[in-house]
Amino acid sequence: MTLQVVRPGMLSTFQDLGRTGLQHLGVPVAGAMDERAHRLANLLAGNAPDLATIEITMTGPTLRAQSPCCFAISGADLSPTINGHPIPLNRPLIMRAGDEVAFGERRHGTRCYLAVHGGFDLEPVLGSNSTYLRSGIGPWHGRALRRGDELGLRRSFEPGRNNRGITSLALALSNIEVYLPGPVAQSARRRVRVIKSAQWREFTPESCVAFLTQTFRISPDSERMGYRLQGPELSMTQPRQMLSEATTFGTIQVPAGGQPIVLMADRQTTGGYPKLGYVASVDLPLLAQLGPGDHVQFEAIALDTAQQLDLRRTRAFIELASALEPIKTMLTNH
């Protein structure tokens, strides 16, 4: 019961919801860059949201099934196929023994997530199946996938005697209608929403206006730890020394050079640069789907607005989980 890595792609790693509760010990959270897509892929595969998925970046892998299994792909459209035939995103699908899932042209987005029903057979490290490459922490030798890796599955369907049943299951899954609530569907917003920090007023008025009106480019020197932005230089009214403070996913730091850095999933646990603001959690998936060379604009919203948006998305996921319960039942009982 394995998936064989025929080609690994640019960067394919196991990620879950992150390694929480250890930042005070200097252990980064890591986890999926696009938590929305990660959760959605798991739901569509009949899983709980905390099971690990494969986070696929830009150029996808080729994976060969050794036995039948159910899977789902959400997030970026990297032209996925089975045996060369296009397959849709955001659907539960079946791989039979010998089938190959591959990826092609990047149509939109940067990262997609592949979940398998029952999850991958992984051994958690510090309570999580997320991979943190800088320290080699994670369930799969703390590294990205390589050619020849055999990825164990916790559950697959019996080959041979169940071939007719597999065909019947695949047909039943294809007939299920999947409707994504607005807060769960991939955002088409042009501006990323941010909450102003306590240090916002310490930046010059010109810098604050520029941040909210000008376009920034994501630097090639950007990755899972942080996005370096290229654009108008931002400065404080007076230089100041700061004690290091805890950081979070979406913290916007401004180093002395004036070019902001947005901290991402693999962020450090503390930072001492001034903070202009924080990306609203509801828009972190939108930012995570951008890549080097892409452009981004920002707009400010109030904290209570950000909280309401996050609550609305949480409720939408609960409703979706309930609506997709027949998929979970169908797969579990097969």
Side-chain angles (χ1 to χ4, degrees):
M1 299 194 303
T2 63
L3 289 181
Q4 182 183 43
V5 180
V6 179
R7 283 186 290 272
M10 177 181 290
L11 179 65
S12 303
T13 61
F14 286 112
Q15 301 293 342
D16 58 17
L17 296 179
R19 193 167 281 105
T20 57
L22 298 173
Q23 284 183 282
H24 66 293
L25 300 176
V27 180
V29 175
M33 286 276 279
D34 183 345
E35 185 180 309
R36 179 204 67 87
H38 163 85
R39 286 177 175 269
L40 180 55
N42 266 326
L43 277 180
L44 291 165
N47 295 334
D50 57 345
L51 289 188
T53 60
I54 300 177
E55 181 180 270
I56 296 163
T57 306
M58 300 285 284
T59 302
T62 298
L63 306 172
R64 180 182 298 133
Q66 303 299 317
S67 56
C69 64
C70 176
F71 73 104
I73 301 171
S74 295
D77 186 350
L78 304 181
S79 304
T81 61
I82 289 184
N83 302 329
H85 300 288
I87 55 175
L89 299 175
N90 302 326
R91 295 285 316 176
L93 302 165
I94 294 293
M95 269 191 278
R96 294 171 172 80
D99 281 353
E100 286 191 355
V101 170
F103 297 81
E105 176 188 3
R106 176 195 178 201
R107 290 175 178 158
H108 65 74
T110 298
R111 296 172 175 87
C112 69
Y113 295 79
L114 187 149
V116 295
H117 175 61
F120 294 95
D121 190 11
L122 303 170
E123 193 66 35
V125 176
L126 297 176
S128 171
N129 282 320
S130 282
T131 304
Y132 181 64
L133 295 172
R134 288 176 179 269
S135 297
I137 298 174
W140 197 253
H141 319 291
R143 62 165 172 80
L145 301 187
R146 296 175 184 167
R147 183 191 302 269
D149 281 346
E150 300 279 347
L151 313 179
L153 308 181
R154 294 193 182 276
R155 186 174 191 274
S156 66
F157 306 112
E158 289 292 332
R161 65 185 178 90
N162 263 348
N163 275 344
R164 182 175 297 178
I166 294 297
T167 300
S168 174
L169 176 62
L171 180 60
L173 290 173
S174 69
N175 288 331
I176 290 179
E177 296 182 338
V178 177
Y179 295 102
L180 301 184
V184 172
Q186 194 160 10
S187 175
R189 290 183 55 82
R190 296 179 59 88
R191 289 181 177 270
V192 171
R193 291 166 286 197
V194 301
I195 302 129
K196 297 176 182 178
S197 75
Q199 296 150 22
W200 173 270
R201 295 186 181 278
E202 297 186 44
F203 288 83
T204 66
E206 294 80 9
S207 294
C208 295
V209 169
F211 180 72
L212 297 177
T213 59
Q214 300 299 308
T215 299
F216 291 83
R217 178 177 179 269
I218 298 176
S219 163
D221 188 19
S222 297
E223 31 102 301
R224 281 181 48 91
M225 185 174 183
Y227 281 4
R228 295 181 179 272
L229 306 183
Q230 298 172 333
E233 184 176 317
L234 309 179
S235 59
M236 305 187 76
T237 52
Q238 291 184 347
R240 59 169 292 189
Q241 295 291 324
M242 291 183 57
L243 294 176
S244 290
E245 299 175 334
T247 62
T248 187
F249 196 168
T251 295
I252 304 167
Q253 296 184 328
V254 183
Q259 298 295 286
I261 302 171
V262 184
L263 302 185
M264 303 299 283
D266 281 357
R267 63 202 175 274
Q268 71 275 21
T269 57
T270 63
Y273 291 129
K275 290 178 276 295
L276 188 62
Y278 307 90
V279 175
S281 59
V282 72
D283 279 354
L284 288 173
L286 174 60
L287 189 60
Q289 289 300 342
L290 300 178
D294 288 339
H295 293 84
V296 61
Q297 295 177 310
F298 299 95
E299 67 174 279
I301 59 173
L303 175 60
D304 60 348
T305 301
Q307 291 170 333
Q308 288 299 316
L309 289 168
D310 194 53
L311 180 60
R312 189 183 307 166
R313 184 179 60 178
T314 299
R315 288 173 174 166
F317 263 113
I318 293 172
E319 293 171 3
L320 180 62
S322 178
L324 296 180
E325 191 65 27
I327 293 176
K328 184 177 181 179
T329 301
M330 189 183 303
L331 294 171
T332 302
N333 294 337
H334 185 81

